[in-house]
C-alpha cells in the first residue's frame, strides 16, 4: 500500500493540471466517506443490510465459543426422556401414573429443591386407566357385585390425571407451556396468573413477543401447580437460538418464561419489577427496558439484565447432551424405577425434558446444530443463578455508530494523507482495537455489542483507498504507453489499402463474436522462468495461436499480458462469424496440444488455456484517442465473453461459449454446462462446451457420457435428487470432465437433504465480475 502524496490546497495557475489534481484528491476523500454514510444508514434503519446482521451473528457466535466455560454446573440436573427411557417405558406420551412416580421419586426420595417440566400436559390421560379397567372387567365380569366394589376401590387409582395432580400439588414444581401464532388463536389448557399487569409498566409501552394462542396444561394440573412458564425460544433468521424472551404478551397480559418462573420459585416468588433506562423515552411512550428486578423476602434485590422486548441472551457453557459436560444427565427411567440411592440429588434443581431425536426438541444453536431444548433453559438458569447474564444494551446502536464515525470516518480522512507504513498501522488499529474492546466488554462486563458495521466500514474504506491508488497509477501507465504509438491490426490495414473509400473508422453497432483466450498458470511460469525466456515463450505461443485465429478470418484485437482477445465479423463482414470463432477455438485447443508436445521435447513447461466465446451486438470502431488509435469492440456481449473465459477454471473445460454462440454456430457437438446468473446481469446465461464435429459419433464412450449428462441435467432441474445422484456418480467415475462433475456433486450434496423448493429454477448464482 502506498500513501498518496500530500496535495496543497488552493490553486496554482503556474502549474497546469494542479487544480484538477487537487479536486481529484478531494473527490477521493469524499468517496472514502461513502462506506461511513452507508453504515450509518444501516444502523439507523434507513438502509438495512441483512449481510451485516449475518456477520454480527457470526461474530457473536465466535465470541460465545471463545468465552464459554466448558465446565460442569452441579446445581442443575437434567432428567432426560431419552432413547433408553422410551425403550423401557414405552413411546411418549407416558401415562401420568409414571410421571407421578417420577415426581414422588424426585421430591420425596431424592429431595431435590425444584422440578421444572419442559413438556406440556395439554391432553387428558385416559389410555392407561382404560387399559386397567378392561383387564379388570375381563377377569371379574361373572361376579358383578364384586366387580363394582373393586371398581369403586380402584377409581382414584384409575384417574391418573388426578394422581399426577396430587403428586405436584403444593410442591416446588413449575409446569411448562407454549404460545403459538395460530391465525385462529387456537388455545388449550389453562394459563397461569400473569406475572405483570399494565399498571406495573407505568404507562410505558414495551415490544414484548406477542402471541395469538397457547397450549397449556389441563386445568386440573394447572390449579395443582400454579407456577408455570412458557418455553418458546427466540429463533433468529438463520434458524439458531441465541436468546430466550423472559416475558411475553398475550391479550394485553404479560407472562413469564419457564426459566424465569423457576428462578423466581427459588427466590420465594418475588414480584417482577421493570427497570427502565434512565432518561430514555421514545415517541409513543415507549421506554427501553434494561432489566427485571426481583425483591426476595431476604437479601438484596436481584436484577436480570435484558434487551429490547425483555429478551435474555443464552450464555452457552459448552457442548450439549450427556457428553457435553455442562450438566449432569439422568435417564428418566432410572428415576421412575428407583435405581438411584435415596438423597443422591438432594438440593439439586431438576429440569425434565428430552434429548431423543424422535420427540423433535433439538434446536440449532451457536455451539451445536442439535441442542436439546431443555438444556437451553438449563444454561439460561445457570447464568441467572451466577448473576452473569450477558445483554445487548439499548445503546448498542449508538455505540456502534460512534465506532463507525471514529474508526471509519477517521480512517477515511487520514489514509490519503499517510505514507504506506503509518497507513497500514492505522488500518490495523482500526480493525484490532474494536475487536479487542468488544471481546473485553463481553468477557468482563457481559455486554454483547455489535461489530459488523464497524469492521465492514473499515475494510470498505481500505478497498476504496487501494482502488483509488490503482486508478491513479493506471492513469500514469496509460499515459506512458501512449508515447509508443497506436496499434492497428494488419487485416484492417490490408482492407484499407484495397478499398480505402469503402472503409471508415467510425464506431458502428454490429452482431459479432468475440473470443478471450487466457493462459492458465501464467504466474507460476513467470516465477519459474527468467524474463528473457518468459518473453520468448510467450511470443512463440502467441505467434502460433495468432496464426490459428487469422486462419479462421479472425481479427486480433490485442494481447493483454497472458491473454489474447480476438473477434469475428469486423472489419471484414462474415455471416458465419460464430461458426468461425468456434472452429478457431477448437483449433487453438489442438494447437496447444502440439505446443505442449514441443515443450516437453525441449524441456519447457507445459501451457494451458481457457477460452470464452460470446456472440451479440457490439460497438466496433476506433475507440482510441488522437495519440493512439485502437480498433476494438466494446459492449455487454464483450464483457460476457471475458467472464465466460474466467469460468473455464470453474467447470474444468477449455472452452465456454454462450447460448447465442451455440445457436448461430451449430455444426458441432455441444455439451451443456450450466445455466447461471452473473452479477450485474438480469438475464440468466446458458453455458456450453463445444466438441469437435463428429466427436460423439466417433466415440461410443463420449456419446454415452453426453446422454448420461443430459439425463442428469433433466433430473437436476426437476429436483429429482434420487435419480440425479447415481447418474452423477457414474459420470464422475468415467466422464471426461471430472471438475465439472465434482462441482455438481458439491451442489447436489447441499441440495439433496433439503425439501424441494417451488421457487427453484435450477439457475446458479455466480458472482463473476
Amino acid at each position: 500500500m502506498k500513501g498518496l502524496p500530500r496535495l496543497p490546497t488552493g490553486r496554482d495557475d503556474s502549474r497546469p493540471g494542479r487544480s484538477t489534481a487537487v479536486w481529484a484528491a478531494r473527490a477521493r476523500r469524499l468517496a472514502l466517506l461513502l462506506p461511513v454514510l452507508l453504515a450509518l444508514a444501516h444502523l439507523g434503519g434507513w438502509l438495512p443490510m441483512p449481510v451485516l446482521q449475518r456477520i454480527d451473528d457470526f461474530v457473536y457466535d465466535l465470541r460465545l465459543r471463545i468465552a464459554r466455560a466448558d465446565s460442569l454446573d452441579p446445581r442443575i440436573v437434567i432428567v432426560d426422556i431419552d432413547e433408553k427411557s422410551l425403550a423401557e417405558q414405552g413411546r411418549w406420551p407416558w401415562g401420568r401414573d409414571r410421571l407421578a412416580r417420577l415426581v414422588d421419586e424426585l421430591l420425596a426420595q431424592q429431595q431435590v429443591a425444584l422440578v421444572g417440566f419442559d413438556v406440556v400436559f395439554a391432553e387428558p390421560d385416559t389410555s392407561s386407566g382404560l387399559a386397567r379397567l378392561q383387564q379388570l372387567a375381563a377377569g371379574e365380569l361373572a361376579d358383578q357385585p364384586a366387580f363394582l366394589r373393586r371398581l369403586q376401590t380402584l377409581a382414584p387409582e384409575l384417574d391418573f390425571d388426578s394422581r399426577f395432580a396430587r403428586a405436584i400439588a403444593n410442591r416446588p414444581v413449575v409446569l411448562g407451556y407454549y404460545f403459538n401464532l395460530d391465525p385462529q388463536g387456537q388455545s388449550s389448557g389453562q394459563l397461569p396468573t400473569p406475572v405483570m399487569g399494565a399498571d406495573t409498566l407505568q404507562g410505558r409501552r414495551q415490544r414484548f413477543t406477542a402471541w395469538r394462542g397457547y397450549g397449556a396444561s389441563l386445568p386440573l394440573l394447572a390449579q395443582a401447580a400454579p407456577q408455570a412458564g412458557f418455553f418458546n425460544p427466540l429463533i433468529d433468521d438463520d434458524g439458531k437460538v441465541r436468546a430466550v424472551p423472559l416475558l411475553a404478551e398475550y391479550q394485553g397480559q404479560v407472562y413469564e418464561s419457564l426459566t424465569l418462573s423457576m428462578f423466581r420459585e427459588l427466590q420465594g416468588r418475588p414480584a417482577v419489577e421493570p427497570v427502565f433506562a434512565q432518561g430514555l423515552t421514545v415517541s409513543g411512550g415507549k421506554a427501553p427496558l434494561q432489566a427485571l428486578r426481583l425483591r426476595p423476602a431476604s437479601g438484596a434485590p436481584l436484577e436480570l439484565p435484558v434487551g429490547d422486548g425483555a429478551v435474555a441472551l443464552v450464555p452457552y457453557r459448552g457442548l450439549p447432551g450427556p457428553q457435553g459436560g455442562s450438566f449432569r444427565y439422568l435417564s428418566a427411567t432410572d428415576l421412575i424405577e428407583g435405581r438411584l440411592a435415596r438423597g443422591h440429588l438432594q438440593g439439586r434443581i431438576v429440569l425434565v425434558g428430552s434429548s431423543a431425536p424422535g420427540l423433535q426438541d433439538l434446536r440449532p444453536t451457536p455451539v451445536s446444530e442439535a441442542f436439546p431444548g431443555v438444556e437451553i433453559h438449563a444454561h439460561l438458569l445457570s447464568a441467572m443463578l451466577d448473576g452473569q447474564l450477558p445483554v445487548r444494551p439499548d445503546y448498542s446502536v449508538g455505540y456502534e455508530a460512534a465506532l463507525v464515525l471514529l474508526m471509519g470516518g477517521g480512517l477515511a480522512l487520514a489514509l490519503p494523507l499517510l505514507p504506506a507504513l503509518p497507513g497500514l498501522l492505522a488500518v490495523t488499529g482500526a480493525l484490532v482495537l474494536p475487536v479487542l474492546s468488544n471481546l473485553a466488554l463481553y468477557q468482563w462486563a457481559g455486554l454483547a455489542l455489535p461489530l459488523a458495521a464497524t469492521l465492514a466500514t473499515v475494510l470498505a474504506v481500505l478497498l476504496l483507498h487501494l482502488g483509488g491508488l490503482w486508478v491513479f497509477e493506471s492513469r500514469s501507465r496509460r499515459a506512458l504507453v501512449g508515447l509508443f504509438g497506436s496499434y492497428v491490426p494488419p487485416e484492417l490495414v490490408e482492407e484499407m489499402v484495397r478499398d480505402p473509400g469503402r472503409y471508415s473508422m467510425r464506431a458502428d453497432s454490429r452482431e459479432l463474436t468475440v473470443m478471450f483466450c487466457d493462459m492458465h498458470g501464467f504466474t507460476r511460469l513467470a516465477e519459474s522462468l527468467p524474463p528473457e525466456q518468459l518473453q520468448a515463450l510467450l511470443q512463440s505461443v502467441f505467434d502460433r495461436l495468432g496464426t490459428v485465429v487469422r486462419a479462421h478470418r479472425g481479427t486480433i484485437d490485442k494481447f493483454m499480458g497472458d491473454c489474447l482477445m480476438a473477434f469475428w465479423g469486423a472489419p471484414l463482414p462474415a455471416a458465419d462469424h460464430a461458426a468461425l470463432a468456434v472452429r478457431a477455438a477448437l483449433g487453438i485447443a489442438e494447437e496447444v496440444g502440439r505446443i505442449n508436445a514441443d515443450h516437453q521435447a525441449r524441456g519447457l513447461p507445459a501451457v494451458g488455456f481457457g477460452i470464452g466465446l460470446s456472440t451479440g451486438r457490439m460497438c466496433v470502431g476506433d475507440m482510441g484517442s488522437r495519440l493512439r488509435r485502437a480498433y476494438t469492440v466494446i459492449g455487454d456481449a464483450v464483457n460476457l465473453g471475458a467472464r465466460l473465459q474466467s469460468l473455464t477454471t470453474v467447470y474444468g473445460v477449455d472452452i465456454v461459449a454462450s447460448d447465442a454462440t451455440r445457436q448461430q454456430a451449430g455444426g458441432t457437438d455441444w455439451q451443456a454446462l450450466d445455466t447461471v446468473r452473473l452479477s450485474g446481469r438480469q438475464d440468466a446465461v446458458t453455458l456450453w462446451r463445444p466438441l469437435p464435429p463428429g466427436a460423439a459419433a466417433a466415440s461410443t464412450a463420449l456419446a454415452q457420457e453426453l446422454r448420461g449428462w443430459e439425463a442428469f441435467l433433466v433430473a437436476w432441474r426437476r429436483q429429482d435428487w434420487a435419480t440425479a445422484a447415481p447418474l452423477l456418480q457414474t459420470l464422475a467415475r468415467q466422464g471426461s470432465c471430472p471438475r465439472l462433475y465434482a462441482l455438481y456433486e458439491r451442489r447436489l450434496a447441499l441440495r439433496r437433504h433439503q425439501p424441494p423448493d417451488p421457487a427453484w429454477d435450477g439457475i446458479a448464482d455466480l458472482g463473476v465480475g
Side-chain angles (χ1 to χ4, degrees), residues 2 4 55 76 198-199 213 274 299 310 318 337 364 397 467 471 521 526 556 578 586 619 639 654 677 688 709 715 763:
K2 297 174 64 179
L4 291 179
I55 296 174
I76 301 174
D199 56 336
E337 301 301 330
V397 173
V471 170
I556 296 178
L586 293 171
C619 186
N639 296 335
D654 294 330
R677 187 176 289 108
W688 295 86
W709 176 245
I763 298 175

Side-chain angles (χ1 to χ4, degrees), residues 480-559:
L480 183 61
V481 171
L483 298 176
F484 293 95
S486 61
Y487 169 78
V488 178
E491 295 82 2
L492 179 58
V493 175
E494 294 173 4
E495 179 71 16
M496 294 173 66
V497 170
R498 289 196 298 268
D499 190 1
R502 177 172 170 259
Y503 181 77
S504 172
M505 292 282 288
R506 186 177 57 210
D508 187 21
S509 178
R510 304 187 200 176
E511 184 172 77
L512 308 174
T513 298
V514 67
M515 168 198 286
F516 286 85
C517 177
D518 188 73
M519 180 184 293
H520 293 163
F522 178 74
T523 303
R524 177 177 51 81
L525 284 175
E527 293 175 348
S528 61
L529 295 177
E532 297 82 1
Q533 191 174 359
L534 178 64
Q535 180 187 30
L537 184 145
L538 283 177
Q539 288 179 342
S540 172
V541 169
F542 281 126
D543 281 346
R544 297 174 68 167
L545 300 189
T547 300
V548 174
V549 171
R550 293 179 182 177
H552 292 85
R553 300 177 58 194
T555 298
I556 296 178
D557 187 311
K558 60 178 70 74
F559 295 95

Side-chain angles (χ1 to χ4, degrees), residues 394-444:
D394 54 87
Y395 56 80
S396 58
V397 173
Y399 167 83
E400 189 165 27
L403 270 184
V404 166
L405 286 172
L406 179 63
M407 298 298 173
L411 201 63
L413 296 176
L415 269 184
L417 306 176
L418 295 175
L421 183 58
L424 179 61
L425 293 176
V427 172
T428 303
L431 290 172
V432 173
L433 289 178
V435 171
L436 292 180
S437 62
N438 194 281
L439 286 173
L441 288 172
Y442 181 82
Q443 186 71 31
W444 290 297

Side-chain angles (χ1 to χ4, degrees), residues 333-651:
T333 188
D334 290 339
L335 287 155
I336 293 174
E337 301 301 330
R339 295 170 183 159
L340 265 68
R342 179 183 175 86
H344 185 69
L345 302 179
Q346 183 175 4
R348 302 295 194 273
I349 304 165
V350 171
L351 271 160
V352 180
S354 176
S355 67
L359 296 187
Q360 300 181 346
D361 193 28
L362 300 178
R363 301 182 179 276
T365 68
V367 296
S368 173
E369 291 299 319
F371 209 100
V374 63
E375 191 173 340
I376 294 177
H377 302 296
H379 284 270
L380 187 58
L381 182 58
S382 174
M384 287 181 175
L385 293 172
D386 292 333
Q388 295 181 355
L389 271 183
V391 65
R392 186 175 288 113
D394 54 87
Y395 56 80
S396 58
V397 173
Y399 167 83
E400 189 165 27
L403 270 184
V404 166
L405 286 172
L406 179 63
M407 298 298 173
L411 201 63
L413 296 176
L415 269 184
L417 306 176
L418 295 175
L421 183 58
L424 179 61
L425 293 176
V427 172
T428 303
L431 290 172
V432 173
L433 289 178
V435 171
L436 292 180
S437 62
N438 194 281
L439 286 173
L441 288 172
Y442 181 82
Q443 186 71 31
W444 290 297
L447 297 178
L449 296 167
L451 190 60
T454 303
L455 297 182
T457 302
V458 170
L459 292 175
V461 168
L462 174 62
L463 291 176
L464 282 177
H465 176 64
L466 294 178
L469 292 178
W470 181 84
V471 170
F472 179 79
E473 294 180 359
S474 296
R475 185 181 304 158
S476 300
R477 287 196 298 269
R478 287 195 301 271
L480 183 61
V481 171
L483 298 176
F484 293 95
S486 61
Y487 169 78
V488 178
E491 295 82 2
L492 179 58
V493 175
E494 294 173 4
E495 179 71 16
M496 294 173 66
V497 170
R498 289 196 298 268
D499 190 1
R502 177 172 170 259
Y503 181 77
S504 172
M505 292 282 288
R506 186 177 57 210
D508 187 21
S509 178
R510 304 187 200 176
E511 184 172 77
L512 308 174
T513 298
V514 67
M515 168 198 286
F516 286 85
C517 177
D518 188 73
M519 180 184 293
H520 293 163
F522 178 74
T523 303
R524 177 177 51 81
L525 284 175
E527 293 175 348
S528 61
L529 295 177
E532 297 82 1
Q533 191 174 359
L534 178 64
Q535 180 187 30
L537 184 145
L538 283 177
Q539 288 179 342
S540 172
V541 169
F542 281 126
D543 281 346
R544 297 174 68 167
L545 300 189
T547 300
V548 174
V549 171
R550 293 179 182 177
H552 292 85
R553 300 177 58 194
T555 298
I556 296 178
D557 187 311
K558 60 178 70 74
F559 295 95
M560 300 170 288
D562 59 335
C563 178
L564 180 154
M565 176 182 172
F567 53 91
W568 281 259
L572 303 175
D576 57 344
H577 52 82
L580 289 170
V582 171
R583 290 200 291 269
L586 293 171
I588 287 177
E590 294 178 0
E591 186 64 22
V592 169
R594 291 189 286 269
I595 290 173
N596 285 332
D598 293 344
H599 283 192
Q600 184 178 8
R602 297 162 55 193
L604 294 174
V607 296
F609 280 88
I611 299 173
L613 296 174
S614 173
T615 300
R617 297 205 70 83
M618 309 172 192
C619 186
V620 59
D622 181 11
M623 306 298 172
S625 67
R626 180 175 56 85
L627 298 177
R628 176 185 172 107
R629 312 302 294 268
Y631 187 80
T632 185
V633 289
I634 60 173
D636 182 67
V638 180
N639 296 335
L640 178 60
R643 298 169 81 173
L644 296 185
Q645 179 278 317
S646 67
L647 292 177
T648 57
T649 56
V650 175
Y651 296 98

